Amino acid sequence: MRGSAGRRRPGGRGAYRGAVHPGAWWVWAVGLGVAASRTTNPLLLALLVAASGYVVAIHRSPAPWARSYAAFVRLALAVILVRVVFAVALGSPIPGTHTLFALPEVPLPRWAQGIRLGGKVTAEALVFAAYDGLKLATLLICVGAANALASPSRLLKSLPGALYETGVAVVVALTFAPHLVADVQRLRAARRLRGRPDRGVRGLLQVGLPVLEGALERSVALAAAMESRGYGRTADVPARVRRTTATLTLGGLLGVCAGTYGLLTAEGGTYGLPVLFAGVAAALAGLRLGGRRSLRSRYRPDPWGVRAWLVAGSGVVVAGLLALASARDPQALHPGVVPLVAPTLPLWPAAAVLLALLPAFVVPRPLAPARTAEASPHTEEPS
C-alpha cells in the first residue's frame, strides 16, 4: 500500500514532478512570436531562435508529437529560401545600387504592370528578402517550440467545454504531422537496415505508400474509438440559453474587433480599451454558457501554478519589451538596407530576449523522460 500510495500516475498532475501547464508553453511561444514580428534585425531573430531552441532541447519529451521541432526548423529554412528565390525571380520594390547579376527579363503585357520577371538583382533586394524570410521563419520555429513542449492531450483537457470539439480537431491536426514524421523515420531506417535505398524518387514512393496506409488505418481507428466513447453527444439546453450564448459570443467577438481597431487608430484610443474589455467579458460569458452543451468531465486537471505564471510571463514580457523597443528605436530593430549597412545588436532589446530563457531554469527537467505519460502510458513513476 505504501509503495502504491507513493507513486504518481503519469496521466495525473503532470508526467513528472513540477510539470508545467501546457497552456503556459503556448503563451510563452506566442509571446516570442509576437516579439519576432516586431523586428527584422537578424541578430535579434537569431537570438530568439537560439533561446527557444535551448529551452526545447532541455524540456521536450521523447513523445512522437515532440519530434516535430526539427520538421518546423526545416520548414523555416525552406521559407527563407523560397522568399529569396521569389525576390530574385520576381524582382523587389527595394531600390538598390549594388547589382550582383542580371537575369533575362521577360516582357509582360500592359495589364501586368508592376510585376516583372527577371532583370537586375541587387544586394539590397536580397538582404531585404532574407530579413523578411527570417522573421517568418522565426515565427514558425516558435510555433514548433510550443508544439514540442506542450502535450496536445493535456492542453485539450484545459479547454472550456464550448471549444472542446474544435480543440479535438486542432489536436488531431497537430499530432497528425508528428506521427507522419515518426513513420517516415521508422520506415527509412528499416529500409537502410535491409540494404534498400531510402532516397530519391523510388525511395520516396516506396516509403510514402506505407506511410499513407498507416495514416488511413490510424484515422479509421481514431474514428471508431471516438464513436465508441460517445464523442459528439450534446446535452439538451433550452432555446433561450442557446440564443443567449450565440448573442454573447458573437457580440463579444465584434466588441473585440472594434476595440482592437480603436486601439490601433488615433481617433479611437478613448473608447478602444473599454470596448475591448467588454467584448472579452461577453465572449468569455458566451463560452461559459456554451459549455453546458458539452457532456465531458476532467480527470485531474493540470493546475496553473507559480512555474506556469513564470513561463507564460517571460514570453509576455519579451513581447512587451520588444514592442516598446520597436516604438522607441525602430532603426535598431529594423536595420536599413538602403543604404546597405551591417546590422548591430541593440543591448537592452537583446537583454529582453534573454528573458525567454527563464523556463530553462525555473522548470525542472523530467526525472525519467522515457517513463513519461506519452512515452509509456502503462507505467508509474516513483515519487
Side-chain angles (χ1 to χ4, degrees):
M1 295 296 292
R2 181 180 178 181
S4 60
R7 296 177 180 175
R8 180 186 298 272
R9 293 188 178 274
R13 295 177 180 270
Y16 58 90
R17 190 181 294 108
V20 177
H21 194 284
W25 288 118
W26 273 101
V27 174
W28 171 79
V30 170
L32 298 189
V34 172
S37 67
R38 307 303 299 176
T39 179
T40 56
N41 191 317
L43 300 179
L44 289 177
L45 293 174
L47 199 58
L48 282 168
V49 172
S52 62
Y54 180 75
V55 175
V56 169
I58 290 180
H59 291 295
R60 72 171 176 176
S61 70
W65 48 264
R67 302 174 188 172
S68 60
Y69 183 74
F72 277 93
V73 173
R74 296 190 189 97
L75 180 61
L77 295 177
V79 165
I80 298 176
L81 180 61
V82 169
R83 181 66 179 87
V84 173
V85 169
F86 276 8
V88 172
L90 303 179
S92 175
I94 302 299
T97 57
H98 299 80
T99 302
L100 299 178
F101 54 90
L103 297 175
E105 188 170 355
V106 178
L108 297 176
R110 182 177 301 177
W111 55 265
Q113 291 182 357
I115 303 174
R116 70 176 179 86
L117 296 177
K120 294 182 179 180
V121 178
T122 62
E124 290 83 354
L126 285 183
V127 171
F128 177 79
Y131 287 174
D132 196 30
L134 182 59
K135 180 171 70 172
L136 182 56
T138 306
L139 292 173
L140 289 174
I141 291 176
C142 291
V143 174
N147 197 26
L149 293 171
S151 172
S153 59
R154 290 175 53 205
L155 183 63
L156 182 61
K157 294 194 304 182
S158 305
L159 289 178
L163 299 177
Y164 180 69
E165 296 182 0
T166 304
V168 169
V170 173
V171 167
V172 171
L174 288 176
T175 55
F176 187 77
H179 281 294
L180 286 181
V181 173
D183 290 344
V184 170
Q185 292 176 351
R186 186 178 66 255
L187 290 172
R188 290 182 62 184
R191 291 184 61 84
R192 286 195 299 268
L193 291 175
R194 292 176 173 86
R196 298 177 182 177
D198 62 329
R199 297 181 181 276
V201 178
R202 181 180 178 184
L204 180 62
L205 292 176
Q206 294 183 356
V207 170
L209 291 178
V211 169
L212 180 59
E213 182 181 358
L216 292 176
E217 291 179 356
R218 190 181 300 114
S219 62
V220 172
L222 178 61
M226 294 172 66
E227 184 178 1
S228 64
R229 287 167 174 79
Y231 174 77
R233 293 182 302 171
T234 57
D236 293 331
V237 294
R240 176 176 53 84
V241 176
R242 293 198 299 269
R243 288 193 295 267
T244 304
T245 301
T247 302
L248 287 174
T249 305
L250 182 59
L253 293 178
L254 292 177
V256 169
C257 294
T260 304
Y261 178 79
L263 291 177
L264 295 177
T265 58
E267 295 81 4
T270 56
Y271 69 85
L273 195 60
V275 172
L276 178 62
F277 285 156
V280 170
L284 291 177
L287 292 177
R288 181 78 175 181
L289 287 177
R292 296 183 179 182
R293 301 184 68 242
S294 178
L295 298 175
R296 59 186 292 261
S297 60
R298 292 185 178 91
Y299 176 70
R300 291 183 179 179
D302 291 304
W304 188 285
V306 177
R307 290 191 179 94
W309 284 111
L310 291 175
V311 171
S314 62
V316 173
V317 169
V318 171
L321 292 178
L322 263 294
L324 180 62
S326 178
R328 288 190 173 184
D329 192 6
Q331 188 175 1
L333 269 70
H334 299 277
V337 294
V338 180
L340 191 61
V341 294
T344 58
L345 183 65
L347 294 181
W348 77 267
V353 172
L354 293 179
L355 293 176
L357 293 172
L358 184 63
F361 303 101
V362 301
V363 179
R365 296 186 182 185
L367 297 179
R371 297 170 64 87
T372 56
E374 293 81 6
S376 181
H378 300 293
T379 59
E380 295 179 349
E381 177 184 345
S383 58

